Structures are given as structure tokens and as C-alpha cells.
Amino acid sequence: MITKKWDEVLKEEYEKEYFKKIAVTTNVLYKEKEMFPPKNRIFHALKLTDYDQVKVVILGQDPYHGVGEANGLAFAVNENVKIPPSLRNIYKELYDDLHIQIASHGNLESWAKEGVLLLNAILTVEKDKPASCRNMGWEELTDAIIKKINEKDNPVVFILWGAFARSKKKYITNKKHLVLESTHPSPFSAHYGFFGSKPFSKTNEFLRKNNIKEINWQIK
């Protein structure tokens, strides 16, 4: 369904009633309404960053709800789409932190392929209706994903931006992992703790200390 390894890790979730309900509801919604991301991109983050490859988790809330924006990766948009304000601020912090030039597009697939799981807590959205799929069951699945990553022996960095992401900290109990928290990169809160938080250099410093290859944060 996703990848061989993720399917193995999540097999117990697939048998639960909430997951079966998600499958039915999603099929109906994608037939009757304009939904994002495209159906074949719902699990794109997991397909690009397999369980064994996860070095970093960046948590988002739900997909962008404008036409052509959502591509299955938290905070990312397709290359031909205007870069959203939150992602612009992420790029600004990346430049200030590591002096990496600001990218001309918002496709973060190169991060995903480096081992950065860009996971939204809710994996689908109806056009122009933010949070329209809240309480559909996605949160239960993505909480299970966070818990499964928490079980990993290899140290992982969890980057939690904003109150919603930080509410997931309770699932990260393994002392091997690093949790980096700040306010959300949105224009409303970036100046209250996100700017200057240096999550990218802190992540690589932690990975280095644990003899794990650093993330190349350059957007390709």
C-alpha cells in the first residue's frame, strides 16, 4: 500500500476500524469533491522517506487547500506554485542558520530523500476548506506513525513548529531522540521564537554526534 517496510510497521493499524473507515470515506470524498493532494500523493511523504531512512521528522497540520498546491509533503508545494508565507520564512531561517541560498521553488522532495519525513497530521483536505478532514481518522494514523518512529533505536530529530505540532511531543518518549521546538514559521508567529531557533544546524550537530550522516538542506 505504501512501502514494504511502512506496511510492515503499520500492519496493526491497517486492521483497525478507524483505518478501514478512512479508506471508505476517502474513496467517497475523492469521487464527490475536489480533494488535495492528488489521491496518488496522499502517502507521498512515507513513500519518499521509508521507515528505516527517517533521520528527521518535521510535523505539519494538514495539506494546503488551494488548487495545485498540495503535493503530499508538509510545508511543501509543487514547483510551479507560489511559495507560501510559512515556507518563505523557513527558507529565511535556513539562510540565516546555514547560509543556504533561498530556493526559487517550494518542492521539498530533496529533503525527503535525505531522510526528512515531512508529515502532515491530517493527510487530505477539501478545496478551499482548511482542516475539513479533521477527526476523519488521519490523526490516529499519524500519531501511530510518530509512536513507531519513537520506537526506533537510531536517534531521530523531531522538529515541532507551533502549538499543534508541539502537542505531539507527548508521543516522543525515547531519550535517544532530540526534540526541537519553536513557534510556527507563519507570519503571525515567526518573530516570536521561530526566527533564530537554528533548527537546521542543531539537527546536523545532533546527527554528527551520533555518527549519522548529516542532512543536506540545500533545496535541489
Side-chain angles (χ1 to χ4, degrees), residues 144-164:
I145 290 168
I146 294 167
K147 291 172 186 174
K148 289 295 184 183
I149 296 171
N150 179 62
E151 293 173 6
K152 284 170 68 81
D153 284 329
N154 293 341
V156 173
V157 182
F158 290 83
I159 299 177
L160 310 180
W161 291 327
F164 180 84

Side-chain angles (χ1 to χ4, degrees), residues 121 138-148 168 171:
W138 287 127
E139 296 97 326
E140 194 166 343
L141 176 65
T142 53
D143 284 353
I145 290 168
I146 294 167
K147 291 172 186 174
K148 289 295 184 183
K168 306 296 183 178
Y171 302 127

Side-chain angles (χ1 to χ4, degrees), residues 58-137:
I58 297 179
L59 286 174
Q61 190 158 356
D62 70 336
Y64 296 115
H65 52 84
V67 174
E69 292 178 337
N71 63 7
L73 304 179
F75 293 103
V77 290
N78 289 314
E79 289 190 19
N80 58 343
V81 174
K82 184 179 177 182
I83 299 173
S86 291
L87 185 54
R88 284 199 175 278
N89 285 339
I90 291 169
Y91 284 175
K92 286 178 185 176
E93 178 61 19
L94 179 60
Y95 177 78
D96 289 343
D97 188 3
L98 292 177
H99 306 294
I100 289 175
Q101 290 297 319
I102 293 175
S104 61
H105 63 83
N107 187 343
L108 301 178
E109 285 193 4
S110 62
W111 285 5
K113 291 172 182 176
E114 284 282 314
V116 181
L117 179 62
L118 296 155
L119 181 67
N120 277 317
I122 302 163
L123 298 184
T124 57
V125 70
E126 185 180 345
K127 178 189 173 186
D128 298 332
K129 293 185 178 179
S132 51
C133 293
R134 183 184 289 166
N135 300 324
M136 201 177 96

Side-chain angles (χ1 to χ4, degrees), residues 131-219:
S132 51
C133 293
R134 183 184 289 166
N135 300 324
M136 201 177 96
W138 287 127
E139 296 97 326
E140 194 166 343
L141 176 65
T142 53
D143 284 353
I145 290 168
I146 294 167
K147 291 172 186 174
K148 289 295 184 183
I149 296 171
N150 179 62
E151 293 173 6
K152 284 170 68 81
D153 284 329
N154 293 341
V156 173
V157 182
F158 290 83
I159 299 177
L160 310 180
W161 291 327
F164 180 84
R166 292 165 96 169
S167 73
K168 306 296 183 178
K169 185 180 178 181
K170 62 192 174 190
Y171 302 127
I172 308 162
T173 57
N174 188 336
K175 300 299 182 186
K176 292 183 178 181
H177 305 320
L178 174 67
V179 178
L180 298 175
E181 303 176 70
S182 77
T183 58
H184 196 276
S186 81
F188 302 106
S189 57
H191 289 280
Y192 298 97
F194 174 74
F195 288 135
S197 61
K198 300 187 180 300
F200 308 104
S201 60
K202 288 176 180 176
T203 292
N204 278 355
E205 181 184 358
F206 177 80
L207 295 176
R208 250 192 333 268
K209 284 181 178 177
N210 285 281
N211 299 311
I212 299 169
K213 186 180 178 184
E214 298 173 30
I215 303 298
N216 178 1
W217 293 106
Q218 181 70 57
I219 308 294

Side-chain angles (χ1 to χ4, degrees), residues 51-64:
Y51 181 78
D52 291 333
Q53 299 169 331
V54 176
K55 300 178 183 178
V56 181
V57 180
I58 297 179
L59 286 174
Q61 190 158 356
D62 70 336
Y64 296 115

